[in-house]
């Protein structure tokens, strides 16, 4: 875990930090809007450059900046412990790294971070490096004591109007994922679904007689001429991904895709853009 925290801190440092705007006027540095000056408005608040373009006086308002609650959930199920070859990290290792890197970035920005676990939510009090250590320890305990089968977070663990980052491989029934996304939207809460997959899960790069063993109590499957199944498998995987993307669009949530053969910084940049409501955060 110490090495993982160091790696997460390094990745977070590569992403430009910035406060999340609250989409309303208030204390902050970012421009929000010009509005007509009201009677009795202090002269110091008038923007004279904008007012010179009209017959009215205008006040320049900035956008309010305040901490928000960001919930983190990392899929601890057995399917996440798989990798196609030793040169790649297991999906769970990459998911944990991204969860910690996101936590490091959010804590640095002063956000309230909550880790969702099967035993209930764990709030991480702010406090520099010690806060990230607490997050890492809580995440480690969650992953070590996780059930073999998927255990999705309960929407009631997510505060209203909060954000939730869901990190997993998405290899569940679309109906199950859709139920969770709809429940979160009804809360209301905004979800950012970060899918972490091994590249072999999309390509099926196997040939000949292959025995596939299930990781979550599925029966083993013995196939011959596996390469002949590749086109049908690729179409089925693409359809599964498209259904998840459609569910995210229909419920107003974000979808980010990542494979373990790519650098984690790419996924964190996309997640940061989505959390900041900037272009480039949706797939």
């Amino acid at each position: 875990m110490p090495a993982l925290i160091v790696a997460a801190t390094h990745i977070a440092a590569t992403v430009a930090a910035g406060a999340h705007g609250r989409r309303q006027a208030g204390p902050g540095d970012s421009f929000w809007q010009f509005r007509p000056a009201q009677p009795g408005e202090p002269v110091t608040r008038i923007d004279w450059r904008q007012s010179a373009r009209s017959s009215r006086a205008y006040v320049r308002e900035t956008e309010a900046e305040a901490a928000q609650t960001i919930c983190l959930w990392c899929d601890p199920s057995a399917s996440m412990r798989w990798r196609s070859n030793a040169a790649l990290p297991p999906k769970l290792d990459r998911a944990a790294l991204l969860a910690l890197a996101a936590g490091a970035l959010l804590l640095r920005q002063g956000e309230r971070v909550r880790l969702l676990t099967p035993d209930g939510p764990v709030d991480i009090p702010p406090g520099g490096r010690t806060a990230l250590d607490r997050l890492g320890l809580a995440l480690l305990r969650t992953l070590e004591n996780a059930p073999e089968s998927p255990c999705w977070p309960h929407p009631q663990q997510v505060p209203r109007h909060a954000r939730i980052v869901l990190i997993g491989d998405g290899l569940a029934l679309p109906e199950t994922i859709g139920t969770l996304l709809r429940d979160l939207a009804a809360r209301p809460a905004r979800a950012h679904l970060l899918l972490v997959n091994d590249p072999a899960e999309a390509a099926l790069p196997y040939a000949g007689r292959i025995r596939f063993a299930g990781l979550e109590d599925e029966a083993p499957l013995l196939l011959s001429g596996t390469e002949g199944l590749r086109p049908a498998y690729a179409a089925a995987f693409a359809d599964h991904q498209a259904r998840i993307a459609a569910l995210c669009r229909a419920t107003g949530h974000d979808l980010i895709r990542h494979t373990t053969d790519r650098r984690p910084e790419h996924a964190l940049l996309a997640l940061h853009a989505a959390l900041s409501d900037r272009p480039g955060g949706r797939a």
Side-chain angles (χ1 to χ4, degrees):
M1 182 56 67
L4 193 61
I5 289 177
V6 171
T9 303
H10 176 73
I11 292 172
T14 66
V15 179
H20 298 300
R22 308 313 301 151
R23 300 303 179 189
Q24 64 186 38
D29 297 323
S30 301
F31 169 74
W32 174 243
Q33 66 180 359
F34 289 112
R35 65 168 176 81
Q38 302 298 319
E41 195 89 51
V43 176
T44 54
R45 298 197 61 192
I46 295 177
D47 188 287
W48 296 106
R49 178 175 296 181
Q50 180 67 21
S51 301
R53 302 173 182 174
S54 173
S55 58
R56 302 187 62 179
Y58 284 89
V59 170
R60 179 187 180 93
E61 290 188 324
T62 55
E63 185 178 10
E65 295 175 351
Q68 60 180 335
T69 299
I70 311 292
C71 299
L72 301 175
W73 177 81
C74 186
D75 184 359
S77 58
S79 69
M80 291 291 292
R81 301 186 179 98
W82 182 78
R83 58 180 170 180
S84 59
N85 65 71
L88 296 173
K91 293 182 292 181
L92 186 58
D93 287 9
R94 179 56 57 84
L97 176 62
L98 288 171
L100 279 176
L105 185 61
L106 294 168
L107 289 169
R108 180 182 300 176
Q109 295 175 180
E111 308 289 18
R112 295 185 294 267
V113 175
R114 170 178 289 186
L115 180 67
L116 304 185
T117 77
D119 297 327
V122 178
D123 291 312
I124 309 299
R129 174 60 186 271
T130 58
L132 185 58
D133 290 342
R134 287 193 290 267
L135 175 61
L137 182 58
L139 180 60
L140 179 62
R141 288 173 176 169
T142 299
L143 300 182
E144 286 182 340
N145 302 320
E148 291 297 310
S149 57
C151 184
W152 295 91
H154 197 286
Q156 294 296 325
Q157 294 182 337
V158 183
R160 290 173 56 84
H161 305 290
R163 306 285 188 107
I164 175 172
V165 178
L166 301 165
I167 308 177
D169 56 16
L171 299 182
L173 292 174
E175 293 78 10
T176 301
I177 298 175
T179 298
L180 175 61
L181 294 179
R182 284 188 290 270
D183 289 346
L184 288 170
R187 186 139 179 82
R190 173 95 169 268
H192 307 276
L193 182 57
L194 174 53
L195 299 185
V196 177
N197 291 107
D198 188 282
E201 290 176 325
L204 192 67
Y206 306 109
R209 186 179 177 88
I210 303 292
R211 182 179 184 272
F212 294 91
L215 296 174
E216 297 176 1
D217 296 327
E218 303 96 339
L221 182 64
L222 182 63
L223 297 177
S224 299
T226 307
E227 67 276 9
L229 301 174
R230 197 170 297 149
Y233 175 88
F237 186 85
D239 178 70
H240 182 81
Q241 296 282 301
R243 292 179 65 183
I244 294 178
L247 287 169
C248 288
R249 289 193 297 270
T251 52
H253 302 306
D254 296 321
L255 175 62
I256 302 167
R257 297 185 178 92
H258 175 70
T259 53
T260 54
D261 59 342
R262 300 191 65 196
R263 294 181 61 84
E265 288 88 347
H266 297 303
L268 188 60
L269 281 167
L271 177 60
H272 184 258
L275 288 168
S276 303
D277 294 320
R278 296 200 310 268
R282 293 191 178 197

